[in-house]
């Protein structure tokens, strides 16, 4: 039987029209996540679905706020998919400690925090109070593959 968190994850992915049940591809000589004791560090995730980066460009120029928030949601779903693949269930996450959201920003774009709200919404919807986290939102000039958003996170897993 599917857990409530796993079902909520699938529900959000389906609402957005994406699937994250296959291989989560990375683009370099690194690993997607590292477990150290009960902490899990998830590498930066861009809004890639399969082979395609689905939201690209500078936020505030080529990309509007709503699409940037969608990009943040997709990045978060990728990170959760990696955690699911590693742990076997999102129920094994006891806490999200921190997320960092990088936004490829136009020179006058100042709503990086609002972009990050998309990621925070997904984490809270799927994980409840365990999804509440600290957060840093940063505007940057460029991101890999011209992605509009990149997100990394630190989670704590149950010891059992």
């Amino acid at each position: 039987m599917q857990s409530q968190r796993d079902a909520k994850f699938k529900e959000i992915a389906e609402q957005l029209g994406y699937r994250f049940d296959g291989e989560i591809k990375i683009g370099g000589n690194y690993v997607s996540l590292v477990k150290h004791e009960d902490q899990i560090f998830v590498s930066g995730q861009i809004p890639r679905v399969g082979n395609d980066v689905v939201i690209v460009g500078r936020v505030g120029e080529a990309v509007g706020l709503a699409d940037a928030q969608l990009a943040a949601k997709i990045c978060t779903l990728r990170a959760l998919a990696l955690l699911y693949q590693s742990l076997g269930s999102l129920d094994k996450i006891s806490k999200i400690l921190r997320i960092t959201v990088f936004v490829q920003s136009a020179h006058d774009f100042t709503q990086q925090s609002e972009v990050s709200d998309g990621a925070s919404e997904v984490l809270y919807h799927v994980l409840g109070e365990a999804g509440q986290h600290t957060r840093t939102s940063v505007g940057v000039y460029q991101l890999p593959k011209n992605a509009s958003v990149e997100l990394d996170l630190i989670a704590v897993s149950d010891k059992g």
Side-chain angles (χ1 to χ4, degrees):
M1 178 173 196
Q2 191 175 47
S3 80
Q4 185 176 2
R5 286 179 177 179
D6 297 344
K8 285 182 179 182
F9 168 85
K10 187 175 180 183
E11 171 189 313
I12 291 174
E14 287 176 356
Q15 285 174 357
L16 298 179
Y18 297 113
R19 293 180 59 130
F20 298 92
D21 52 357
E23 177 187 3
I24 303 294
K25 297 183 180 198
I26 59 173
N29 189 20
Y30 61 94
V31 295
S32 298
L33 59 82
V34 171
K35 289 192 249 181
H36 178 71
E37 297 176 359
D38 64 344
Q39 291 188 356
I40 304 172
F41 298 80
V42 179
S43 293
Q45 300 299 309
I46 60 176
R48 183 187 320 225
V49 179
N51 292 319
D52 300 321
V53 182
V54 296
I55 301 175
V56 296
R58 201 167 301 286
V59 180
E61 288 178 0
V63 177
L65 178 60
D67 284 337
Q69 289 172 327
L70 174 60
K73 290 177 182 182
I74 295 167
C75 295
T76 305
L77 289 168
R78 282 177 55 93
L80 288 171
L82 288 166
L83 289 167
Y84 175 85
Q85 290 174 2
S86 176
L87 300 171
S89 174
L90 296 177
D91 284 342
K92 294 184 180 176
I93 298 171
S94 59
K95 187 72 180 161
I96 301 295
L97 297 177
R98 179 173 189 78
I99 67 171
T100 306
V101 181
F102 302 92
V103 181
Q104 183 186 173
S105 300
H107 75 280
D108 59 347
F109 184 77
T110 60
Q111 293 180 288
Q112 290 82 7
S113 186
E114 287 86 345
V115 171
S116 299
D117 287 341
S120 296
E121 287 173 18
V122 168
L123 290 170
Y124 186 75
H125 181 78
V126 173
L127 303 173
E129 288 187 21
Q132 293 179 323
H133 52 271
T134 63
R135 179 177 91 184
T136 299
S137 306
V138 182
V140 298
Y141 182 71
Q142 286 183 315
L143 288 170
K145 311 291 185 216
N146 196 30
S148 296
V149 177
E150 183 172 7
L151 170 139
D152 67 18
L153 64 77
I154 303 169
V156 176
S157 64
D158 293 337
K159 292 184 181 189

